[in-house]
PDB file of all heavy atoms in Angstrom:
ATOM      1  N   PHE A 371      -1.479 -12.204  13.279  1.00 98.00           N
ATOM      2  CA  PHE A 371      -1.459 -12.816  14.611  1.00 98.00           C
ATOM      3  C   PHE A 371      -2.447 -13.976  14.644  1.00 98.00           C
ATOM      4  O   PHE A 371      -3.602 -13.826  14.232  1.00 98.00           O
ATOM      5  CB  PHE A 371      -1.813 -11.785  15.679  1.00 98.00           C
ATOM      6  CG  PHE A 371      -0.832 -10.654  15.750  1.00 98.00           C
ATOM      7  CD1 PHE A 371      -1.108  -9.434  15.153  1.00 98.00           C
ATOM      8  CD2 PHE A 371       0.385 -10.816  16.397  1.00 98.00           C
ATOM      9  CE1 PHE A 371      -0.206  -8.383  15.200  1.00 98.00           C
ATOM     10  CE2 PHE A 371       1.305  -9.768  16.455  1.00 98.00           C
ATOM     11  CZ  PHE A 371       1.008  -8.553  15.850  1.00 98.00           C
ATOM     12  N   PHE A 372      -1.980 -15.096  15.147  1.00 98.00           N
ATOM     13  CA  PHE A 372      -2.790 -16.311  15.170  1.00 98.00           C
ATOM     14  C   PHE A 372      -3.220 -16.646  16.591  1.00 98.00           C
ATOM     15  O   PHE A 372      -2.393 -16.835  17.478  1.00 98.00           O
ATOM     16  CB  PHE A 372      -2.017 -17.475  14.556  1.00 98.00           C
ATOM     17  CG  PHE A 372      -1.845 -17.336  13.068  1.00 98.00           C
ATOM     18  CD1 PHE A 372      -0.727 -16.704  12.549  1.00 98.00           C
ATOM     19  CD2 PHE A 372      -2.815 -17.807  12.200  1.00 98.00           C
ATOM     20  CE1 PHE A 372      -0.574 -16.552  11.179  1.00 98.00           C
ATOM     21  CE2 PHE A 372      -2.677 -17.660  10.832  1.00 98.00           C
ATOM     22  CZ  PHE A 372      -1.550 -17.033  10.313  1.00 98.00           C
ATOM     23  N   HIS A 373      -4.529 -16.715  16.784  1.00 96.00           N
ATOM     24  CA  HIS A 373      -5.144 -17.089  18.046  1.00 96.00           C
ATOM     25  C   HIS A 373      -5.860 -18.432  17.854  1.00 96.00           C
ATOM     26  O   HIS A 373      -6.246 -18.798  16.749  1.00 96.00           O
ATOM     27  CB  HIS A 373      -6.230 -16.106  18.470  1.00 96.00           C
ATOM     28  CG  HIS A 373      -5.816 -14.670  18.553  1.00 96.00           C
ATOM     29  ND1 HIS A 373      -6.122 -13.893  19.645  1.00 96.00           N
ATOM     30  CD2 HIS A 373      -5.166 -13.852  17.687  1.00 96.00           C
ATOM     31  CE1 HIS A 373      -5.671 -12.657  19.443  1.00 96.00           C
ATOM     32  NE2 HIS A 373      -5.094 -12.614  18.260  1.00 96.00           N
ATOM     33  N   THR A 374      -6.095 -19.119  18.960  1.00 96.00           N
ATOM     34  CA  THR A 374      -7.144 -20.136  19.048  1.00 96.00           C
ATOM     35  C   THR A 374      -7.889 -19.840  20.347  1.00 96.00           C
ATOM     36  O   THR A 374      -7.489 -18.949  21.098  1.00 96.00           O
ATOM     37  CB  THR A 374      -6.583 -21.578  19.059  1.00 96.00           C
ATOM     38  OG1 THR A 374      -5.737 -21.756  20.207  1.00 96.00           O
ATOM     39  CG2 THR A 374      -5.787 -21.867  17.794  1.00 96.00           C
ATOM     40  N   ALA A 375      -8.946 -20.564  20.606  1.00 95.00           N
ATOM     41  CA  ALA A 375      -9.754 -20.260  21.789  1.00 95.00           C
ATOM     42  C   ALA A 375      -8.922 -20.229  23.065  1.00 95.00           C
ATOM     43  O   ALA A 375      -9.068 -19.335  23.909  1.00 95.00           O
ATOM     44  CB  ALA A 375     -10.888 -21.268  21.917  1.00 95.00           C
ATOM     45  N   ASP A 376      -8.020 -21.194  23.217  1.00 95.00           N
ATOM     46  CA  ASP A 376      -7.169 -21.230  24.407  1.00 95.00           C
ATOM     47  C   ASP A 376      -5.696 -20.980  24.075  1.00 95.00           C
ATOM     48  O   ASP A 376      -4.836 -21.033  24.957  1.00 95.00           O
ATOM     49  CB  ASP A 376      -7.312 -22.569  25.138  1.00 95.00           C
ATOM     50  CG  ASP A 376      -6.990 -23.766  24.247  1.00 95.00           C
ATOM     51  OD1 ASP A 376      -6.556 -23.567  23.083  1.00 95.00           O
ATOM     52  OD2 ASP A 376      -7.182 -24.909  24.706  1.00 95.00           O
ATOM     53  N   ASN A 377      -5.399 -20.747  22.798  1.00 96.00           N
ATOM     54  CA  ASN A 377      -4.041 -20.497  22.295  1.00 96.00           C
ATOM     55  C   ASN A 377      -3.086 -21.665  22.509  1.00 96.00           C
ATOM     56  O   ASN A 377      -1.871 -21.518  22.358  1.00 96.00           O
ATOM     57  CB  ASN A 377      -3.455 -19.218  22.919  1.00 96.00           C
ATOM     58  CG  ASN A 377      -4.192 -17.979  22.457  1.00 96.00           C
ATOM     59  OD1 ASN A 377      -4.546 -17.847  21.294  1.00 96.00           O
ATOM     60  ND2 ASN A 377      -4.458 -17.068  23.379  1.00 96.00           N
ATOM     61  N   TYR A 378      -3.629 -22.830  22.844  1.00 96.00           N
ATOM     62  CA  TYR A 378      -2.798 -24.003  23.104  1.00 96.00           C
ATOM     63  C   TYR A 378      -1.967 -24.368  21.875  1.00 96.00           C
ATOM     64  O   TYR A 378      -0.782 -24.683  21.977  1.00 96.00           O
ATOM     65  CB  TYR A 378      -3.703 -25.176  23.514  1.00 96.00           C
ATOM     66  CG  TYR A 378      -2.973 -26.437  23.914  1.00 96.00           C
ATOM     67  CD1 TYR A 378      -2.304 -26.521  25.135  1.00 96.00           C
ATOM     68  CD2 TYR A 378      -2.963 -27.557  23.081  1.00 96.00           C
ATOM     69  CE1 TYR A 378      -1.642 -27.677  25.517  1.00 96.00           C
ATOM     70  CE2 TYR A 378      -2.309 -28.721  23.449  1.00 96.00           C
ATOM     71  CZ  TYR A 378      -1.651 -28.776  24.664  1.00 96.00           C
ATOM     72  OH  TYR A 378      -0.986 -29.929  25.036  1.00 96.00           O
ATOM     73  N   ASP A 379      -2.592 -24.336  20.700  1.00 97.00           N
ATOM     74  CA  ASP A 379      -1.912 -24.731  19.470  1.00 97.00           C
ATOM     75  C   ASP A 379      -1.634 -23.553  18.543  1.00 97.00           C
ATOM     76  O   ASP A 379      -1.371 -23.747  17.354  1.00 97.00           O
ATOM     77  CB  ASP A 379      -2.750 -25.771  18.711  1.00 97.00           C
ATOM     78  CG  ASP A 379      -2.645 -27.161  19.303  1.00 97.00           C
ATOM     79  OD1 ASP A 379      -1.606 -27.466  19.929  1.00 97.00           O
ATOM     80  OD2 ASP A 379      -3.592 -27.956  19.138  1.00 97.00           O
ATOM     81  N   ALA A 380      -1.684 -22.328  19.055  1.00 97.00           N
ATOM     82  CA  ALA A 380      -1.483 -21.161  18.194  1.00 97.00           C
ATOM     83  C   ALA A 380      -0.160 -21.213  17.425  1.00 97.00           C
ATOM     84  O   ALA A 380      -0.129 -20.894  16.229  1.00 97.00           O
ATOM     85  CB  ALA A 380      -1.588 -19.884  19.021  1.00 97.00           C
ATOM     86  N   PRO A 381       0.963 -21.631  18.038  1.00 97.00           N
ATOM     87  CA  PRO A 381       2.201 -21.730  17.261  1.00 97.00           C
ATOM     88  C   PRO A 381       2.115 -22.763  16.134  1.00 97.00           C
ATOM     89  O   PRO A 381       2.676 -22.543  15.051  1.00 97.00           O
ATOM     90  CB  PRO A 381       3.241 -22.130  18.310  1.00 97.00           C
ATOM     91  CG  PRO A 381       2.706 -21.579  19.593  1.00 97.00           C
ATOM     92  CD  PRO A 381       1.227 -21.808  19.492  1.00 97.00           C
ATOM     93  N   LEU A 382       1.426 -23.873  16.368  1.00 97.00           N
ATOM     94  CA  LEU A 382       1.269 -24.874  15.309  1.00 97.00           C
ATOM     95  C   LEU A 382       0.408 -24.341  14.175  1.00 97.00           C
ATOM     96  O   LEU A 382       0.662 -24.642  13.001  1.00 97.00           O
ATOM     97  CB  LEU A 382       0.659 -26.157  15.878  1.00 97.00           C
ATOM     98  CG  LEU A 382       1.525 -26.967  16.843  1.00 97.00           C
ATOM     99  CD1 LEU A 382       0.767 -28.205  17.311  1.00 97.00           C
ATOM    100  CD2 LEU A 382       2.845 -27.375  16.178  1.00 97.00           C
ATOM    101  N   LEU A 383      -0.619 -23.563  14.516  1.00 98.00           N
ATOM    102  CA  LEU A 383      -1.463 -22.952  13.491  1.00 98.00           C
ATOM    103  C   LEU A 383      -0.636 -21.983  12.641  1.00 98.00           C
ATOM    104  O   LEU A 383      -0.767 -21.955  11.408  1.00 98.00           O
ATOM    105  CB  LEU A 383      -2.631 -22.227  14.151  1.00 98.00           C
ATOM    106  CG  LEU A 383      -3.568 -21.439  13.227  1.00 98.00           C
ATOM    107  CD1 LEU A 383      -4.157 -22.331  12.147  1.00 98.00           C
ATOM    108  CD2 LEU A 383      -4.683 -20.770  14.041  1.00 98.00           C
ATOM    109  N   THR A 384       0.230 -21.225  13.281  1.00 98.00           N
ATOM    110  CA  THR A 384       1.091 -20.292  12.553  1.00 98.00           C
ATOM    111  C   THR A 384       2.032 -21.041  11.625  1.00 98.00           C
ATOM    112  O   THR A 384       2.223 -20.656  10.462  1.00 98.00           O
ATOM    113  CB  THR A 384       1.915 -19.445  13.539  1.00 98.00           C
ATOM    114  OG1 THR A 384       1.076 -18.939  14.572  1.00 98.00           O
ATOM    115  CG2 THR A 384       2.591 -18.291  12.829  1.00 98.00           C
ATOM    116  N   ARG A 385       2.611 -22.129  12.105  1.00 97.00           N
ATOM    117  CA  ARG A 385       3.520 -22.932  11.271  1.00 97.00           C
ATOM    118  C   ARG A 385       2.775 -23.538  10.094  1.00 97.00           C
ATOM    119  O   ARG A 385       3.295 -23.581   8.968  1.00 97.00           O
ATOM    120  CB  ARG A 385       4.173 -24.022  12.121  1.00 97.00           C
ATOM    121  CG  ARG A 385       5.066 -24.951  11.329  1.00 97.00           C
ATOM    122  CD  ARG A 385       5.666 -26.034  12.190  1.00 97.00           C
ATOM    123  NE  ARG A 385       6.857 -25.568  12.886  1.00 97.00           N
ATOM    124  CZ  ARG A 385       7.628 -26.366  13.645  1.00 97.00           C
ATOM    125  NH1 ARG A 385       7.295 -27.632  13.819  1.00 97.00           N
ATOM    126  NH2 ARG A 385       8.706 -25.880  14.235  1.00 97.00           N
ATOM    127  N   GLN A 386       1.568 -24.004  10.324  1.00 97.00           N
ATOM    128  CA  GLN A 386       0.759 -24.581   9.246  1.00 97.00           C
ATOM    129  C   GLN A 386       0.482 -23.533   8.173  1.00 97.00           C
ATOM    130  O   GLN A 386       0.566 -23.816   6.967  1.00 97.00           O
ATOM    131  CB  GLN A 386      -0.559 -25.117   9.824  1.00 97.00           C
ATOM    132  CG  GLN A 386      -1.519 -25.704   8.802  1.00 97.00           C
ATOM    133  CD  GLN A 386      -2.785 -26.252   9.460  1.00 97.00           C
ATOM    134  OE1 GLN A 386      -2.728 -27.217  10.204  1.00 97.00           O
ATOM    135  NE2 GLN A 386      -3.924 -25.630   9.191  1.00 97.00           N
ATOM    136  N   PHE A 387       0.164 -22.322   8.610  1.00 98.00           N
ATOM    137  CA  PHE A 387      -0.129 -21.229   7.677  1.00 98.00           C
ATOM    138  C   PHE A 387       1.090 -20.878   6.828  1.00 98.00           C
ATOM    139  O   PHE A 387       0.995 -20.754   5.599  1.00 98.00           O
ATOM    140  CB  PHE A 387      -0.611 -20.004   8.447  1.00 98.00           C
ATOM    141  CG  PHE A 387      -0.915 -18.808   7.590  1.00 98.00           C
ATOM    142  CD1 PHE A 387      -2.154 -18.680   6.992  1.00 98.00           C
ATOM    143  CD2 PHE A 387       0.039 -17.814   7.380  1.00 98.00           C
ATOM    144  CE1 PHE A 387      -2.450 -17.570   6.193  1.00 98.00           C
ATOM    145  CE2 PHE A 387      -0.243 -16.711   6.580  1.00 98.00           C
ATOM    146  CZ  PHE A 387      -1.492 -16.597   5.985  1.00 98.00           C
ATOM    147  N   ILE A 388       2.253 -20.716   7.448  1.00 97.00           N
ATOM    148  CA  ILE A 388       3.438 -20.304   6.702  1.00 97.00           C
ATOM    149  C   ILE A 388       3.886 -21.395   5.748  1.00 97.00           C
ATOM    150  O   ILE A 388       4.425 -21.118   4.673  1.00 97.00           O
ATOM    151  CB  ILE A 388       4.581 -19.890   7.662  1.00 97.00           C
ATOM    152  CG1 ILE A 388       5.659 -19.085   6.907  1.00 97.00           C
ATOM    153  CG2 ILE A 388       5.199 -21.091   8.342  1.00 97.00           C
ATOM    154  CD1 ILE A 388       5.199 -17.748   6.411  1.00 97.00           C
ATOM    155  N   ALA A 389       3.642 -22.659   6.102  1.00 97.00           N
ATOM    156  CA  ALA A 389       3.982 -23.757   5.194  1.00 97.00           C
ATOM    157  C   ALA A 389       3.159 -23.671   3.917  1.00 97.00           C
ATOM    158  O   ALA A 389       3.665 -23.881   2.813  1.00 97.00           O
ATOM    159  CB  ALA A 389       3.756 -25.097   5.888  1.00 97.00           C
ATOM    160  N   GLU A 390       1.870 -23.328   4.056  1.00 97.00           N
ATOM    161  CA  GLU A 390       1.018 -23.203   2.881  1.00 97.00           C
ATOM    162  C   GLU A 390       1.308 -21.913   2.121  1.00 97.00           C
ATOM    163  O   GLU A 390       1.121 -21.850   0.900  1.00 97.00           O
ATOM    164  CB  GLU A 390      -0.460 -23.269   3.284  1.00 97.00           C
ATOM    165  CG  GLU A 390      -0.867 -24.633   3.829  1.00 97.00           C
ATOM    166  CD  GLU A 390      -2.365 -24.863   3.738  1.00 97.00           C
ATOM    167  OE1 GLU A 390      -2.994 -24.424   2.756  1.00 97.00           O
ATOM    168  OE2 GLU A 390      -2.899 -25.481   4.674  1.00 97.00           O
ATOM    169  N   LEU A 391       1.771 -20.909   2.829  1.00 96.00           N
ATOM    170  CA  LEU A 391       2.137 -19.664   2.163  1.00 96.00           C
ATOM    171  C   LEU A 391       3.382 -19.864   1.305  1.00 96.00           C
ATOM    172  O   LEU A 391       3.573 -19.189   0.297  1.00 96.00           O
ATOM    173  CB  LEU A 391       2.361 -18.566   3.207  1.00 96.00           C
ATOM    174  CG  LEU A 391       2.532 -17.138   2.702  1.00 96.00           C
ATOM    175  CD1 LEU A 391       1.281 -16.676   1.945  1.00 96.00           C
ATOM    176  CD2 LEU A 391       2.818 -16.197   3.863  1.00 96.00           C
ATOM    177  N   GLY A 392       4.247 -20.805   1.731  1.00 95.00           N
ATOM    178  CA  GLY A 392       5.424 -21.142   0.947  1.00 95.00           C
ATOM    179  C   GLY A 392       6.576 -20.171   1.081  1.00 95.00           C
ATOM    180  O   GLY A 392       7.407 -20.055   0.186  1.00 95.00           O
ATOM    181  N   LEU A 393       6.659 -19.479   2.221  1.00 94.00           N
ATOM    182  CA  LEU A 393       7.749 -18.548   2.466  1.00 94.00           C
ATOM    183  C   LEU A 393       8.618 -19.037   3.614  1.00 94.00           C
ATOM    184  O   LEU A 393       8.156 -19.755   4.504  1.00 94.00           O
ATOM    185  CB  LEU A 393       7.198 -17.159   2.811  1.00 94.00           C
ATOM    186  CG  LEU A 393       6.394 -16.435   1.729  1.00 94.00           C
ATOM    187  CD1 LEU A 393       5.911 -15.093   2.269  1.00 94.00           C
ATOM    188  CD2 LEU A 393       7.208 -16.241   0.465  1.00 94.00           C
ATOM    189  N   GLU A 394       9.879 -18.642   3.590  1.00 91.00           N
ATOM    190  CA  GLU A 394      10.770 -18.990   4.693  1.00 91.00           C
ATOM    191  C   GLU A 394      10.486 -18.080   5.880  1.00 91.00           C
ATOM    192  O   GLU A 394      10.272 -16.878   5.723  1.00 91.00           O
ATOM    193  CB  GLU A 394      12.232 -18.842   4.266  1.00 91.00           C
ATOM    194  CG  GLU A 394      12.670 -19.852   3.216  1.00 91.00           C
ATOM    195  CD  GLU A 394      14.150 -19.734   2.906  1.00 91.00           C
ATOM    196  OE1 GLU A 394      14.832 -18.916   3.566  1.00 91.00           O
ATOM    197  OE2 GLU A 394      14.619 -20.452   2.014  1.00 91.00           O
ATOM    198  N   HIS A 395      10.462 -18.671   7.057  1.00 95.00           N
ATOM    199  CA  HIS A 395      10.219 -17.894   8.278  1.00 95.00           C
ATOM    200  C   HIS A 395      10.734 -18.705   9.455  1.00 95.00           C
ATOM    201  O   HIS A 395      10.771 -19.945   9.397  1.00 95.00           O
ATOM    202  CB  HIS A 395       8.727 -17.611   8.449  1.00 95.00           C
ATOM    203  CG  HIS A 395       8.420 -16.486   9.393  1.00 95.00           C
ATOM    204  ND1 HIS A 395       8.472 -16.620  10.757  1.00 95.00           N
ATOM    205  CD2 HIS A 395       8.063 -15.195   9.165  1.00 95.00           C
ATOM    206  CE1 HIS A 395       8.157 -15.465  11.323  1.00 95.00           C
ATOM    207  NE2 HIS A 395       7.907 -14.582  10.369  1.00 95.00           N
ATOM    208  N   ASN A 396      11.127 -18.022  10.525  1.00 94.00           N
ATOM    209  CA  ASN A 396      11.620 -18.735  11.712  1.00 94.00           C
ATOM    210  C   ASN A 396      10.605 -19.708  12.284  1.00 94.00           C
ATOM    211  O   ASN A 396      10.981 -20.696  12.934  1.00 94.00           O
ATOM    212  CB  ASN A 396      12.023 -17.737  12.802  1.00 94.00           C
ATOM    213  CG  ASN A 396      13.370 -17.096  12.528  1.00 94.00           C
ATOM    214  OD1 ASN A 396      14.071 -17.472  11.598  1.00 94.00           O
ATOM    215  ND2 ASN A 396      13.728 -16.107  13.331  1.00 94.00           N
ATOM    216  N   VAL A 397       9.317 -19.445  12.066  1.00 96.00           N
ATOM    217  CA  VAL A 397       8.276 -20.345  12.564  1.00 96.00           C
ATOM    218  C   VAL A 397       8.435 -21.746  11.984  1.00 96.00           C
ATOM    219  O   VAL A 397       8.045 -22.737  12.598  1.00 96.00           O
ATOM    220  CB  VAL A 397       6.879 -19.775  12.226  1.00 96.00           C
ATOM    221  CG1 VAL A 397       5.782 -20.743  12.635  1.00 96.00           C
ATOM    222  CG2 VAL A 397       6.667 -18.443  12.919  1.00 96.00           C
ATOM    223  N   SER A 398       9.032 -21.828  10.797  1.00 95.00           N
ATOM    224  CA  SER A 398       9.219 -23.123  10.143  1.00 95.00           C
ATOM    225  C   SER A 398      10.394 -23.896  10.731  1.00 95.00           C
ATOM    226  O   SER A 398      10.510 -25.114  10.511  1.00 95.00           O
ATOM    227  CB  SER A 398       9.449 -22.927   8.643  1.00 95.00           C
ATOM    228  OG  SER A 398       8.406 -22.171   8.065  1.00 95.00           O
ATOM    229  N   LEU A 399      11.277 -23.214  11.440  1.00 95.00           N
ATOM    230  CA  LEU A 399      12.450 -23.865  12.023  1.00 95.00           C
ATOM    231  C   LEU A 399      12.057 -24.634  13.284  1.00 95.00           C
ATOM    232  O   LEU A 399      10.985 -24.404  13.851  1.00 95.00           O
ATOM    233  CB  LEU A 399      13.511 -22.816  12.354  1.00 95.00           C
ATOM    234  CG  LEU A 399      14.008 -21.969  11.178  1.00 95.00           C
ATOM    235  CD1 LEU A 399      14.980 -20.902  11.676  1.00 95.00           C
ATOM    236  CD2 LEU A 399      14.655 -22.848  10.112  1.00 95.00           C
ATOM    237  N   PRO A 400      12.914 -25.554  13.747  1.00 95.00           N
ATOM    238  CA  PRO A 400      12.589 -26.299  14.970  1.00 95.00           C
ATOM    239  C   PRO A 400      12.346 -25.366  16.160  1.00 95.00           C
ATOM    240  O   PRO A 400      13.111 -24.424  16.386  1.00 95.00           O
ATOM    241  CB  PRO A 400      13.828 -27.171  15.193  1.00 95.00           C
ATOM    242  CG  PRO A 400      14.423 -27.338  13.834  1.00 95.00           C
ATOM    243  CD  PRO A 400      14.175 -26.031  13.133  1.00 95.00           C
ATOM    244  N   PHE A 401      11.288 -25.651  16.903  1.00 96.00           N
ATOM    245  CA  PHE A 401      11.016 -24.909  18.128  1.00 96.00           C
ATOM    246  C   PHE A 401      12.098 -25.250  19.158  1.00 96.00           C
ATOM    247  O   PHE A 401      12.732 -26.316  19.068  1.00 96.00           O
ATOM    248  CB  PHE A 401       9.654 -25.295  18.706  1.00 96.00           C
ATOM    249  CG  PHE A 401       8.476 -24.953  17.828  1.00 96.00           C
ATOM    250  CD1 PHE A 401       7.449 -25.866  17.634  1.00 96.00           C
ATOM    251  CD2 PHE A 401       8.377 -23.716  17.207  1.00 96.00           C
ATOM    252  CE1 PHE A 401       6.356 -25.562  16.838  1.00 96.00           C
ATOM    253  CE2 PHE A 401       7.288 -23.394  16.413  1.00 96.00           C
ATOM    254  CZ  PHE A 401       6.271 -24.323  16.224  1.00 96.00           C
ATOM    255  N   PRO A 402      12.332 -24.390  20.148  1.00 95.00           N
ATOM    256  CA  PRO A 402      13.288 -24.728  21.199  1.00 95.00           C
ATOM    257  C   PRO A 402      13.025 -26.103  21.816  1.00 95.00           C
ATOM    258  O   PRO A 402      13.967 -26.841  22.128  1.00 95.00           O
ATOM    259  CB  PRO A 402      13.089 -23.605  22.221  1.00 95.00           C
ATOM    260  CG  PRO A 402      12.695 -22.432  21.384  1.00 95.00           C
ATOM    261  CD  PRO A 402      11.827 -23.005  20.298  1.00 95.00           C
ATOM    262  N   ALA A 403      11.753 -26.487  21.971  1.00 95.00           N
ATOM    263  CA  ALA A 403      11.434 -27.810  22.526  1.00 95.00           C
ATOM    264  C   ALA A 403      11.874 -28.926  21.585  1.00 95.00           C
ATOM    265  O   ALA A 403      12.323 -29.990  22.037  1.00 95.00           O
ATOM    266  CB  ALA A 403       9.934 -27.921  22.799  1.00 95.00           C
ATOM    267  N   GLU A 404      11.751 -28.688  20.284  1.00 94.00           N
ATOM    268  CA  GLU A 404      12.157 -29.699  19.306  1.00 94.00           C
ATOM    269  C   GLU A 404      13.674 -29.824  19.249  1.00 94.00           C
ATOM    270  O   GLU A 404      14.203 -30.933  19.104  1.00 94.00           O
ATOM    271  CB  GLU A 404      11.591 -29.341  17.927  1.00 94.00           C
ATOM    272  CG  GLU A 404      10.057 -29.444  17.869  1.00 94.00           C
ATOM    273  CD  GLU A 404       9.475 -28.889  16.593  1.00 94.00           C
ATOM    274  OE1 GLU A 404      10.080 -27.969  15.987  1.00 94.00           O
ATOM    275  OE2 GLU A 404       8.396 -29.364  16.189  1.00 94.00           O
ATOM    276  N   LYS A 405      14.376 -28.719  19.391  1.00 91.00           N
ATOM    277  CA  LYS A 405      15.828 -28.764  19.454  1.00 91.00           C
ATOM    278  C   LYS A 405      16.288 -29.541  20.682  1.00 91.00           C
ATOM    279  O   LYS A 405      17.220 -30.338  20.643  1.00 91.00           O
ATOM    280  CB  LYS A 405      16.408 -27.359  19.513  1.00 91.00           C
ATOM    281  CG  LYS A 405      16.182 -26.518  18.259  1.00 91.00           C
ATOM    282  CD  LYS A 405      16.736 -25.126  18.460  1.00 91.00           C
ATOM    283  CE  LYS A 405      16.451 -24.220  17.264  1.00 91.00           C
ATOM    284  NZ  LYS A 405      16.950 -22.837  17.494  1.00 91.00           N
ATOM    285  N   GLU A 406      15.593 -29.308  21.772  1.00 85.00           N
ATOM    286  CA  GLU A 406      15.907 -29.983  23.038  1.00 85.00           C
ATOM    287  C   GLU A 406      15.709 -31.485  22.889  1.00 85.00           C
ATOM    288  O   GLU A 406      16.544 -32.281  23.338  1.00 85.00           O
ATOM    289  CB  GLU A 406      14.986 -29.442  24.130  1.00 85.00           C
ATOM    290  CG  GLU A 406      15.191 -30.019  25.510  1.00 85.00           C
ATOM    291  CD  GLU A 406      14.206 -29.440  26.504  1.00 85.00           C
ATOM    292  OE1 GLU A 406      12.985 -29.479  26.213  1.00 85.00           O
ATOM    293  OE2 GLU A 406      14.636 -28.952  27.558  1.00 85.00           O
ATOM    294  N   ALA A 407      14.636 -31.900  22.226  1.00 65.00           N
ATOM    295  CA  ALA A 407      14.350 -33.314  22.040  1.00 65.00           C
ATOM    296  C   ALA A 407      15.435 -33.985  21.197  1.00 65.00           C
ATOM    297  O   ALA A 407      15.851 -35.110  21.472  1.00 65.00           O
ATOM    298  CB  ALA A 407      12.994 -33.498  21.380  1.00 65.00           C
TER     299      ALA A 407
END
Side-chain angles (χ1 to χ4, degrees):
F371 298 100
F372 290 91
H373 305 228
T374 61
D376 57 5
N377 293 319
Y378 184 74
D379 282 333
L382 292 180
L383 176 57
T384 313
R385 177 181 277 185
Q386 178 178 294
F387 179 85
I388 196 67
E390 294 201 37
L391 190 61
L393 296 179
E394 293 184 4
H395 198 283
N396 282 353
V397 176
S398 305
L399 301 176
F401 296 136
E404 293 171 331
K405 294 177 184 178
E406 181 181 52

